[in-house]
Structures are given as structure tokens and as C-alpha cells.
Amino acid sequence: MLSIEHFYWLLAAFLLYAGWRNLRERRYAHAAFWSLIALLFAAGDTILTASKAGDALPSQVAGAGVIALALLATRMRREHIAEAPEAEREASAARLGHRLFVPALLIPLITVAVVLAGEHLALGATPLFGQGSLTLIGLALACAVSAVAAIAVTGQRPRQAADEGRRLLDTMGWAALLPLVLATLGGVFAASGVGEAVASIVSAVIPADSRLACVLAYGLGMVLFTVIMGNAFAAFPVMTAGIGLPLLIQQHGAEPAILGSIGMLTGYCGTLMTPMAANFNLVPAALLELDDPNAVIRAQIPTAIPLLLVNLALMYWLAFR
């Protein structure tokens, strides 16, 4: 039976490998950073179980680890890590042609297949997938299968996949953790009552009995919070708890699935326009060695604004059918 914990352990093993490689190259801050994250992933289930049992020590240790990660991030520097020569990479791309897209296309295909059929798959009387989000399990399985497919397509050694993954990880540095950290921040905001505060402010400012006004407040609020926090995953729980659930769903009868899906996509419009989404907008500019660090954002704004307007219209027309 596959569970998300199995993939956490696999991810922890990869992070430990990245830490070991950095240790060998005397990049001590990088080595400690990735190794500490690996330990947190590997021990996550133990920490959660102990916390539910009332033992606060594991959670406190994990919290100290997060603080240590923040301190280590200040010591990490982006450096060039050797890769295959450009001529060799161009020759490989010409040889492989469109087969290079096969591993990438497997990720969404396998993820969707697991989400749609996962709960019906079993080995005898044992379900194939264990407890947890089928979406996360499907995505993790898809990434693992895609890595194997990439090795088969390119004919490279399995270690090459780990080496290239480590090179990309070190190139991105601490920014690789931003989606995880910002999604957690959104949960913290929701648990601390930020959503209720937003609801009270919005109710005082806009006419809460106007469906259009609530849709605009929800959509534009998703964009604004995403711009501030850098990730729609962080904005979603706050805006949904503050506006989406009490005003649009409970008061105006919006369809939750449609509202949530379009609302999240609306938040992504903010991702396209903010430097806070460093892993999406600043890291690519650094990898491409662009003179303007905001060049990616400037190129995305003409797409983000029309997409925002379309999403607002779709939300208003579809969520209340």
C-alpha cells in the first residue's frame, strides 16, 4: 500500500544526497540546509504522532529546525555548478527529439489517473493507495515514474538523475522551499483568525448583499494577498475563510468547487506579477542570466491582467448556476 509517507522518505533520501554532495564540496551551509530538511521530512510522521499524543518536545525540536533553516539560508550563496558542455547537450537534444517530452507529460497524466481511479484500485482486498490526499500521492508517484522514464529515454545512469536534481536544487537554493513555506503561512493565517478579520473588514467596506461586489472582493483579494505573500496557496485559505465561505457560498449560494478552482486560478494571476514569488519569477531570471531581474514579471503582466478579467467573469457566471 502506497502512502504519502513513502514518498516523503524518498524525498528525504534525495535531500540527504544533495547534502552529502555539498559536504564533499565544502559548501557547509548548503549541506546543513538540505540535510536538516531531509531529517524533517523523514521524521514528519513521528513528530505528528507525538504531538497528537500530547508530547510537545518533537514539535519544539521541529520548530528549532525551521529557525535553523532560516539562519542557514542567509549563508547560502548561488554558485555555478558544472554541467554538461553546451555542444553535448545540443547533440543529445537533437538525438532524442520529441521523446524528451515523454517524462514531462507523464506527470500530469499519471496524477490525473490516480486521482480519478485511485480509490478503486486494490491488490486483492488491500487498497493500492493508503490514507492521505490522492492528489499528492498521484503527483509524487508521477514524479518518481517520470524520473525512471527520463533515465530510460536518455540512456543515462540513475545517478545522473540525482546529480541533475541536486544541481537544480542548489541553483534555486532556499527559494525551492517557498511554495511549501508560503502554503504553511496561509494555514497559520487562517488558524490565527486572519480570515475572520478580513471578513469583518470586507463586510464593512463593500455591500455584502451584492453578489458582484463579493466576487470582485474575493478575486481581487486573492490577487492582492498572492502579490504580498508570493503564492496563491498562502492566499487561498485566508480569502476563502474570510470572503468565499461566509459571503459567496453561505450567503449567496455559490458552488464551492467552481468558486475554489477559479479562485485559485485568479490568485495565480498575482503570482505572475510579484517578485515575492521568487522561485517562479526571480530564479528563472537568474538562471537565464538576464540583465533585468524583473524581466520575467514584465513579460507576464500582459497575460496576467486579461486572465484576471476573464477569471472574474467566469466566477460570476459559473459559480451561481
Side-chain angles (χ1 to χ4, degrees):
M1 179 187 298
L2 286 174
S3 71
I4 194 62
E5 285 299 319
H6 295 109
F7 296 105
Y8 285 159
W9 295 336
L10 182 61
L11 178 58
F14 166 67
L15 291 169
L16 279 175
Y17 175 76
W20 174 71
R21 287 295 303 274
N22 277 291
L23 182 62
R24 289 188 60 187
E25 297 171 8
R26 300 184 179 181
R27 294 155 53 93
Y28 298 118
H30 292 73
F33 189 84
W34 301 125
S35 299
L36 184 53
I37 297 173
L39 293 176
L40 291 173
F41 269 107
D45 190 52
T46 302
I47 294 171
L48 181 60
T49 302
S51 298
K52 289 181 177 179
D55 186 357
L57 181 59
S59 297
Q60 293 172 348
V61 172
V66 172
I67 295 174
L69 288 175
L71 296 175
L72 288 169
T74 64
R75 306 295 301 171
M76 297 173 70
R77 298 291 182 268
R78 185 176 293 115
E79 301 173 5
H80 178 72
I81 299 176
E83 57 182 320
E86 183 176 356
E88 181 180 330
R89 286 182 278 128
E90 289 181 353
S92 177
R95 175 176 59 87
L96 296 171
H98 294 305
R99 285 180 293 166
L100 283 171
F101 292 101
V102 172
L105 293 175
L106 283 175
I107 295 177
L109 290 176
I110 294 176
T111 302
V112 171
V114 170
V115 170
L116 294 178
E119 61 182 11
H120 306 295
L121 300 178
L123 295 175
T126 304
L128 184 60
F129 300 103
Q131 296 292 327
S133 168
L134 273 179
T135 303
L136 287 179
I137 295 174
L139 178 60
L141 177 62
C143 291
V145 172
S146 178
V148 175
I151 293 170
V153 168
T154 60
Q156 297 289 336
R157 297 174 301 164
R159 179 176 173 176
Q160 188 70 18
D163 287 340
E164 288 300 310
R166 173 257 171 172
R167 184 181 65 80
L168 181 60
L169 195 64
D170 275 330
T171 300
M172 294 181 65
W174 56 264
L177 287 188
L178 275 179
L180 175 63
V181 174
L182 292 172
T184 304
L185 179 64
V188 171
F189 280 177
S192 61
V194 175
E196 289 78 2
V198 170
S200 62
I201 294 173
V202 169
S203 299
V205 173
I206 69 169
D209 56 346
S210 170
R211 179 183 298 177
L212 176 60
C214 291
V215 167
L216 292 175
Y218 179 63
L220 296 177
M222 278 293 300
V223 172
L224 178 61
F225 267 71
T226 300
V227 167
I228 294 172
M229 295 191 285
N231 195 296
F233 288 103
F236 183 76
V238 175
M239 297 309 300
T240 301
I243 301 176
L245 184 60
L247 299 181
L248 288 171
I249 295 175
Q250 295 178 348
Q251 182 171 327
H252 292 288
E255 175 63 36
I258 296 176
L259 182 70
S261 58
I262 301 179
M264 180 66 82
L265 184 59
T266 304
Y268 292 153
C269 297
T271 303
L272 297 175
M273 298 187 288
T274 176
M276 288 297 293
N279 52 326
F280 291 108
N281 298 332
L282 299 186
V283 171
L287 293 177
L288 296 172
E289 299 180 351
L290 301 179
D291 294 331
D292 182 3
N294 295 315
V296 175
I297 297 175
R298 297 182 194 280
Q300 291 173 163
I301 287 178
T303 299
I305 294 177
L307 182 59
L308 168 61
L309 298 176
V310 170
N311 286 338
L312 291 173
L314 289 176
M315 194 185 305
Y316 184 77
W317 289 332
L318 299 179
F320 302 97
R321 296 181 61 183

